Amino acid sequence: KRKRLVEIAEKYDVLIVEDDPYGDLRYEGDPIDPIFKIGGQNRVLLLRTFSKILSPGLRLGIVIGNKTIIRKMVMAKQASDLCTPSLTQRIAARYLQRHDLLAQLKPTIALYRDKRDLMLAELEKNFGDMKGFHWTKPDGGLFIWFTLPESFNTGEMLEMGKAENVLFVPGEAFSLDNTCKNSMRLSFCLPPREDIIEGVRRLKKIVVEYGKEKNIL
Ligand SMILES: *Cc1c(COP(=O)(O)O)cnc(C)c1O
């Protein structure tokens, strides 16, 4: 898919902005080359962030790409906020000097892998025998993409979720053409194990309630 994307971008001569906050959070399978590596710096601008691998509060990211484009970005950034705080930049730089970031990530990755496996197991327990319900088994990142039968609208279900203290991102938020209304993004990153178990249990309750209300289950 990534190679094909680069081919298409070359054909129509457009730039690809590769937003890659999760590349280092990989739980299994071989690492996948960034599009940047395939397309090169004149075709791809690679964005990375410290938010998911060190600390979101630093508000620090990295851009790798063509010098001319980055110079323009620096000018735009100067116009908007003068400069990213040098204090947080120094904190991150010092951290990188003293620690092997990828080695430091290993326990984090083990923790997230365990939570991913737990959420997958709980989804299987609660929805495994329900027709039309399926979900991804991600090799990395922080999320599971959960798809319900087509007559479900996860945007409408959000309020019911809030009432039960269960939050998800309705699939529509990831679509440009009003599709994905029957999907939702679930995060397994922050909640402790017991909340994942309880959260999926409540999600099932919401699904059953919504399904009965709409006469679709
Ligand atoms: C977290 C995230 C980012 C980066 O967020 P910052 O905290 O602003 O660096 C970018 N894209 C996606 C998809 C993310 O999840």
Side-chain angles (χ1 to χ4, degrees):
K1 275 183 188 165
R2 292 176 183 209
K3 283 180 187 153
R4 182 79 189 111
L5 199 61
V6 170
E7 282 169 20
I8 294 169
E10 298 205 318
K11 182 173 170 197
Y12 295 100
D13 194 24
V14 292
L15 188 69
I16 295 174
V17 178
E18 182 174 17
D19 185 23
D20 179 23
Y22 313 118
D24 294 321
L25 297 175
R26 201 156 170 84
Y27 313 124
E28 63 186 287
D30 295 329
I32 302 175
D33 282 342
I35 306 169
F36 180 84
K37 194 168 165 192
I38 303 164
Q41 61 165 0
N42 291 324
R43 186 58 60 198
V44 187
L45 206 57
L46 176 58
L47 310 182
R48 303 295 307 266
T49 177
F50 284 107
S51 285
K52 314 288 157 52
I53 53 172
L54 181 57
S55 155
L58 290 174
R59 311 300 315 134
L60 284 182
I62 302 163
V63 51
I64 306 166
N66 178 292
K67 263 194 187 138
T68 312
I69 298 169
I70 291 180
R71 252 187 233 122
K72 296 273 186 202
M73 290 176 74
V74 169
M75 279 201 276
K77 185 147 171 57
Q78 276 175 349
S80 74
D81 68 359
L82 292 180
C83 178
T84 298
S86 50
L87 179 62
T88 52
Q89 292 194 59
R90 275 175 180 254
I91 292 170
R94 195 63 61 82
Y95 184 87
L96 292 177
Q97 278 164 358
R98 291 197 183 163
H99 303 279
D100 177 345
L101 181 59
L102 294 180
Q104 296 277 336
L105 264 182
K106 280 184 186 154
T108 309
I109 287 171
L111 180 79
Y112 289 162
R113 182 190 292 119
D114 181 63
K115 290 187 183 193
R116 174 201 67 168
D117 291 344
L118 177 65
M119 189 177 269
L120 288 171
E122 291 305 309
L123 284 169
E124 185 57 42
K125 245 185 241 166
N126 284 279
F127 299 98
D129 58 355
M130 290 173 74
K131 207 169 160 276
F133 291 78
H134 52 95
W135 50 90
T136 55
K137 184 177 181 298
D139 288 338
L142 306 174
F143 309 106
I144 292 169
W145 186 250
F146 181 37
T147 300
L148 290 64
E150 254 173 41
S151 36
F152 280 80
N153 182 324
T154 54
E156 283 177 14
M157 291 166 67
L158 189 60
E159 285 305 318
M160 299 168 78
K162 281 186 199 165
E164 292 283 344
N165 263 330
V166 176
L167 284 186
F168 50 81
V169 184
E172 213 181 333
F174 302 92
S175 162
L176 292 172
D177 57 1
N178 270 331
T179 53
C180 305
K181 279 184 195 291
N182 56 320
S183 294
M184 61 173 73
R185 190 185 77 169
L186 300 173
S187 169
F188 52 79
C189 153
L190 187 64
R193 289 181 60 95
E194 55 274 21
D195 286 5
I196 291 179
I197 296 169
E198 177 61 19
V200 177
R201 198 189 65 80
R202 290 186 196 181
L203 189 62
K204 168 78 177 275
K205 194 175 150 210
I206 295 160
V207 162
V208 169
E209 212 172 290
Y210 181 89
K212 282 198 179 138
E213 216 171 80
K214 298 270 166 180
N215 230 343
I216 49 177
L217 206 65

